[in-house]
Amino acid sequence: MTDSHAFGSARLESLDTEEQPLLTNFGIESVSTDDHGAILLPPPSSEERKTMEAAFVKKLDRRMSILILIYILNYMDRNNAAAARLHGFEEDLGLHGHQFATLLSILYIGYILMQIPSNMFLNYFGRPSKYLPWCMVGWGALSVCTGFTTNFFGALCTRFFLGFVEAAFFPGALFLISKWYKKSELSERTALLSCGILLSNAFGALIASGILDFMDGVLGFAAWRWLFFVEGTLTILVAFWSMTILPDFPENSTGWITPAERALAVQRMLEDQGSRQTEVTSSAESKGFSHQLIGLRLALLDWKVWWLALNLTFMVLSLSFGVYFPTLAATLGYSASVSLLLTAPPWLVGAGICLWVSRKSDKTGERCKYMVASLFVGIIGFVMAMSTLNKIIRYFSLFFVAQSYAAYICFLAWTSGTIPHPPAKRAVALALINGVSQSGNVLGSYIWPYAWGPSYNMSFMITAFMSALAILMCVIFRAHLASLNRKADRLEAETGDKVFRYSL
């Protein structure tokens, strides 16, 4: 087939009689077929194709939205120890010294170890609709078990295995999104997913405040134990529900998607990558375990993957204030319950800013300048917090630092678009970058000790410095990608073939 907009190996093999009404709904009254009866999609520039694609993306968005709820629960189960800390968690378990920081950091050890194997298995297994929810059941059960612990060792074990199981979700969700959405759509979708972090911090604090205020002593359990019981059980219930909603990959999704939509999903990703190799072909090859090892080798040998991993590590370390947000709010001098309530507004405002920034980033095709702006505003917030203990200024500084998650969200979209194919390499690269970056959370767990409070000037100084390093690395990497795009321009002018361009 010579038409570059035809299905090729991704074509619909036959026109089902039920497909014709569907295509009519898309504004397509008739379709052309080749000699074998395969449907040829309208070219991307046609109004029919745009209408069909817009309707499909809306349908996909509705199904993918379950990922936001899952990520909210993921972070609630990960960070509920910070809220429990204000209501007797440390005292009841007999924690002292750096033991609480160790409980926070040990989660990321398991989180780091499991991410690459998990994404390799996800790409091999090809069924995120089953794999991710079952992992979700596992971390929900471990969260419930944390509520039954009575000492440091018991809590340490549950927290370690919690990170081990939770590692499957975020890199897996990023990989799943990158298989369905084009570069111009990635930032906003990644933002919607990642806003689960901010919404979890906001609503998690509100939920925690209610549980900690009203559940103390119920059935003989302390309020902080009910926090783990309730949130863990909620996670398990949502996990079983999500099995009926989450999609698989474009080439093997069934039930909710028609053959024409599936072919469209594959074709538009092929066009977006500027490659003549289809995702379907790559996916067929990726079913062998040897192909997963090839993807692992390609990711490990690509210096861009390691640069992005180090860059994100600095960024994650600069965001380490997130898990200590209730502690920082408590420095304002209010009660534990009021402190939890005060954490919600900065996160809600931050979520709104993140969505606006990500939408602008998608629309303009720019990533770096928005990341730099967000990190710079965060540095201003760190400086404000260091300068005074005045309650008003300190509280407003929390809004400045919370919005710096917009840089993190744009960076995730940048990463997905920088390692486009093959899928096996992309799966490993996303897991490797995210996994290595979590060392920032391990180190970040120890830079907010009580001894540095209530000012936490040293902590804010460290996070500001990490933000500055992240900005520098982003600017250097953008310059490199710009040079690669210029080479692509020259190559495309010489050969006439469409060549992949990096988002800047």
Side-chain angles (χ1 to χ4, degrees):
M1 207 175 288
T2 59
D3 185 354
S4 63
H5 299 308
F7 276 163
S9 61
R11 68 192 180 190
L12 183 65
E13 295 303 326
S14 62
L15 178 60
D16 193 303
T17 55
E18 296 180 358
E19 291 293 302
Q20 190 60 50
L22 171 69
L23 296 173
T24 301
N25 289 337
F26 285 138
I28 302 175
E29 297 181 357
S30 62
V31 294
S32 57
T33 61
D34 64 9
D35 294 337
H36 304 286
I39 294 177
L40 304 182
L41 277 179
S45 58
S46 73
E47 290 302 318
E48 290 180 344
R49 168 66 181 274
K50 290 178 181 178
T51 301
M52 183 177 184
E53 192 165 340
F56 168 71
V57 170
K58 287 181 180 179
K59 180 178 181 180
L60 178 62
D61 284 342
R62 289 193 294 270
R63 190 159 290 265
M64 285 288 197
S65 62
I66 188 70
L67 290 173
I68 303 173
L69 176 59
I70 296 175
Y71 202 25
I72 289 174
L73 295 173
N74 180 276
Y75 246 75
M76 283 173 60
D77 290 332
R78 187 185 310 181
N79 291 341
N80 45 20
R85 186 189 196 190
L86 302 180
H87 280 260
F89 179 77
E90 288 181 290
E91 293 78 7
D92 289 355
L93 297 186
L95 304 183
H96 57 272
H98 292 293
Q99 287 186 332
F100 180 78
T102 301
L103 287 182
L104 296 182
S105 66
I106 195 67
L107 180 144
Y108 295 102
I109 302 300
Y111 196 75
I112 292 170
L113 292 175
M114 191 58 185
Q115 290 206 21
I116 293 177
S118 176
N119 254 24
M120 290 176 67
F121 178 77
L122 176 60
N123 188 50
Y124 175 78
F125 180 51
R127 293 291 180 184
S129 65
K130 299 297 183 291
Y131 177 65
L132 296 180
W134 277 113
C135 290
M136 192 178 176
V137 170
W139 86 61
L142 284 165
S143 183
V144 172
C145 290
T146 305
F148 288 107
T149 57
T150 58
N151 53 47
F152 172 67
F153 179 74
L156 193 71
C157 291
T158 57
R159 293 286 294 181
F160 172 77
F161 288 109
L162 179 65
F164 202 79
V165 181
E166 279 198 353
F169 175 69
F170 190 59
L174 287 178
F175 182 53
L176 176 62
I177 289 173
S178 72
K179 291 273 284 183
W180 285 97
Y181 291 101
K182 298 189 295 186
K183 293 195 301 293
S184 61
E185 302 162 344
L186 264 180
S187 185
E188 185 174 353
R189 272 69 183 187
T190 304
L192 288 169
L193 169 65
S194 301
C195 275
I197 302 175
L198 288 80
L199 295 176
S200 174
N201 288 331
F203 294 114
L206 297 177
I207 294 172
S209 179
I211 294 174
L212 295 172
D213 280 347
F214 299 107
M215 298 293 286
D216 193 28
V218 175
L219 299 180
F221 292 109
W224 69 263
R225 296 185 184 276
W226 278 109
L227 184 63
F228 290 97
F229 295 158
V230 172
E231 293 182 355
T233 301
L234 181 60
T235 296
I236 294 172
L237 294 176
V238 173
F240 286 110
W241 178 46
S242 67
M243 291 182 189
T244 65
I245 299 175
L246 272 177
D248 290 316
F249 297 137
E251 62 273 5
N252 65 348
S253 284
T254 57
W256 69 276
I257 190 172
T258 69
E261 290 171 327
R262 184 167 58 249
L264 172 63
V266 173
Q267 180 68 10
R268 73 194 210 102
M269 294 305 297
L270 167 63
E271 295 163 352
D272 186 59
Q273 291 172 12
S275 168
R276 293 191 181 280
Q277 179 184 15
T278 68
E279 284 275 302
V280 168
T281 302
S282 298
S283 177
E285 293 172 350
S286 71
K287 293 306 178 184
F289 181 71
S290 62
H291 192 72
Q292 310 308 314
L293 295 179
I294 292 173
L296 175 63
R297 181 177 64 84
L298 290 174
L300 291 176
L301 295 178
D302 189 344
W303 73 267
K304 294 195 298 295
V305 173
W306 292 102
W307 183 277
L308 290 168
L310 182 60
N311 196 344
L312 189 59
T313 300
F314 291 146
M315 198 176 297
V316 167
L317 187 50
S318 76
L319 299 174
S320 61
F321 62 83
V323 73
Y324 285 94
F325 220 69
T327 300
L328 295 178
T331 64
L332 299 176
Y334 299 103
S335 66
S337 297
V338 173
S339 296
L340 283 172
L341 294 175
L342 287 174
T343 63
W347 290 122
L348 292 175
V349 172
I353 293 174
C354 287
L355 290 175
W356 180 82
V357 168
S358 62
R359 185 167 296 180
K360 292 286 290 184
S361 175
D362 273 346
K363 188 174 181 179
T364 62
E366 282 275 351
R367 307 289 189 213
C368 184
K369 71 178 185 181
Y370 292 103
M371 290 187 286
V372 169
S374 177
L375 290 172
F376 183 74
V377 172
I379 291 175
I380 294 175
F382 295 140
V383 173
M384 288 173 60
M386 283 188 287
S387 65
T388 181
L389 286 176
N390 178 275
K391 290 183 179 182
I392 297 177
I393 296 177
R394 206 120 213 268
Y395 187 57
F396 272 104
S397 74
L398 298 181
F399 287 84
F400 279 72
V401 300
Q403 66 75 43
S404 56
Y405 269 89
Y408 175 76
I409 291 169
C410 279
F411 190 92
L412 295 175
W414 206 24
T415 298
S416 298
T418 303
I419 316 291
H421 51 71
K425 177 186 177 182
R426 191 196 322 158
V428 173
L430 290 174
L432 176 62
I433 292 167
N434 194 58
V436 170
S437 73
Q438 296 311 303
S439 60
N441 276 321
V442 175
L443 297 173
S445 299
Y446 292 94
I447 67 172
W448 300 91
Y450 269 137
W452 290 0
S455 68
Y456 290 102
N457 283 350
M458 184 62 69
S459 306
F460 287 121
M461 191 178 302
I462 293 172
T463 52
F465 180 66
M466 291 298 109
S467 292
L469 285 178
I471 288 174
L472 178 62
M473 292 193 71
C474 285
V475 171
I476 294 173
F477 193 64
R478 184 194 186 281
H480 173 69
L481 295 184
S483 70
L484 294 180
N485 283 350
R486 287 193 293 271
K487 291 180 181 178
D489 291 338
R490 291 193 294 269
L491 181 61
E492 188 170 300
E494 293 171 0
T495 64
D497 293 332
K498 184 176 175 64
V499 182
F500 176 78
R501 301 294 197 285
Y502 293 97
S503 296
L504 302 179

